[in-house]
Amino acid sequence: MSRKPKKGYFVRGHFVAEGSELDLQLKAELKGTEGSTKTELKREMDELQDLGADLLTLRGDLFARLDLPEKLQEAIAEAKRITNFEGKRRQMQFIGKLMRKLEDEEIAAVRAALDEQRNGSAEEKLQLHLAEQWRDRLIAHEESLAIWLDQFPRTDIQQIRALIRQARKDAPAEDKAAESQGLAPRKGRAYRELFQLVREQLEDAKTEANAQSREEDA
């Protein structure tokens, strides 16, 4: 005859059996004069439920990297399918309950993945900064184009020259009044397209370098 599962609940990923010493301690704290304990627990529950809601918007590759418990993954997938307001609300409450079973390290990983989606990884930020630097160098200095072409010979020479030339023509004259108000000068289309071209070439070069590295390690 199988034993009945113990009744209880989870706090920060740890099971607390009803009637246990820890259960009595937690309930005593909630009933005590220190109202902050109950408030903090409620706030933590709300934050975890909000975090679970954010998981519905997480990019596929970042979500897969988390390797969340299967039950939580299924609950999130089901929440995405539900369109009924009340059904969605109940499903999100269920997801919040499952979120409270996660370990601290798992919750930290979820927060990190969401932050990466919002702000990009450190590597992505570095690539963007490098593209901005190259764009500005190409517009400001004639000799920079030769250096660029030497490092990225697959670049369409006619296209990049035309974009640089047009970006220089479109460069706005200094507007002291706008600068005093903290307004950034408006940039033309060529300026933006040059940035995109530079960024794509940097990404292609990075992809090729990674492929070569894998071949050498194989």
Side-chain angles (χ1 to χ4, degrees), residues 69-137:
E70 185 176 349
K71 196 170 185 178
L72 178 55
Q73 292 188 45
E74 292 174 351
I76 291 171
E78 180 63 22
K80 291 179 179 180
R81 291 191 287 267
I82 296 174
T83 56
N84 176 268
F85 176 80
E86 181 60 22
K88 190 91 163 184
R89 185 186 69 82
R90 291 186 178 184
Q91 186 68 9
M92 294 315 302
Q93 287 181 333
F94 177 57
I95 288 174
K97 181 180 179 181
L98 294 176
M99 290 292 294
R100 293 195 291 276
K101 296 181 181 182
L102 296 180
E103 298 291 343
D104 290 348
E105 295 80 5
E106 293 174 305
I107 293 173
V110 169
R111 294 188 190 280
L114 289 166
D115 180 68
E116 181 173 337
Q117 176 166 280
R118 294 187 192 103
N119 305 310
S121 65
E123 188 174 357
E124 289 171 339
K125 291 177 183 177
L126 181 61
Q127 283 290 100
L128 286 174
H129 185 57
L130 185 59
E132 290 171 349
Q133 287 183 324
W134 266 114
R135 174 202 58 202
D136 294 343
R137 285 176 60 187

Side-chain angles (χ1 to χ4, degrees), residues 134-144 164 168:
W134 266 114
R135 174 202 58 202
D136 294 343
R137 285 176 60 187
L138 288 166
I139 294 173
H141 307 290
E142 290 284 352
E143 65 274 13
S144 294
I164 292 171
R168 288 171 180 165

Side-chain angles (χ1 to χ4, degrees), residues 29-203:
E29 289 177 353
L30 291 176
K31 292 179 181 179
T33 56
E34 296 182 8
S36 60
T37 303
K38 186 174 183 179
T39 302
E40 289 170 3
L41 287 174
K42 177 65 168 61
R43 183 168 59 247
E44 181 180 309
M45 289 169 63
D46 290 342
E47 288 177 352
L48 288 175
Q49 185 164 322
D50 290 343
L51 199 63
D54 289 339
L55 275 174
L56 271 66
T57 67
L58 189 61
R59 210 169 65 220
D61 60 316
L62 294 175
F63 187 85
R65 190 197 305 170
L66 290 173
D67 193 24
L68 295 170
E70 185 176 349
K71 196 170 185 178
L72 178 55
Q73 292 188 45
E74 292 174 351
I76 291 171
E78 180 63 22
K80 291 179 179 180
R81 291 191 287 267
I82 296 174
T83 56
N84 176 268
F85 176 80
E86 181 60 22
K88 190 91 163 184
R89 185 186 69 82
R90 291 186 178 184
Q91 186 68 9
M92 294 315 302
Q93 287 181 333
F94 177 57
I95 288 174
K97 181 180 179 181
L98 294 176
M99 290 292 294
R100 293 195 291 276
K101 296 181 181 182
L102 296 180
E103 298 291 343
D104 290 348
E105 295 80 5
E106 293 174 305
I107 293 173
V110 169
R111 294 188 190 280
L114 289 166
D115 180 68
E116 181 173 337
Q117 176 166 280
R118 294 187 192 103
N119 305 310
S121 65
E123 188 174 357
E124 289 171 339
K125 291 177 183 177
L126 181 61
Q127 283 290 100
L128 286 174
H129 185 57
L130 185 59
E132 290 171 349
Q133 287 183 324
W134 266 114
R135 174 202 58 202
D136 294 343
R137 285 176 60 187
L138 288 166
I139 294 173
H141 307 290
E142 290 284 352
E143 65 274 13
S144 294
L145 179 57
I147 299 172
W148 170 269
L149 292 173
D150 182 58
Q151 295 186 34
F152 305 95
R154 295 183 182 179
T155 307
D156 186 317
I157 299 176
Q158 291 185 340
Q159 182 186 18
I160 194 169
R161 279 178 174 165
L163 288 175
I164 292 171
R165 186 163 53 247
Q166 190 60 47
R168 288 171 180 165
K169 288 181 180 179
D170 294 343
E174 290 187 12
D175 187 342
K176 297 299 183 183
E179 289 179 8
S180 66
Q181 298 176 37
L183 300 175
R186 298 182 63 181
K187 305 295 185 181
R189 180 178 176 181
Y191 183 86
R192 296 189 297 272
E193 290 185 356
L194 178 60
F195 171 77
Q196 189 61 32
L197 183 150
V198 167
R199 183 181 177 186
E200 289 173 356
Q201 289 296 316
L202 289 171
E203 289 177 350

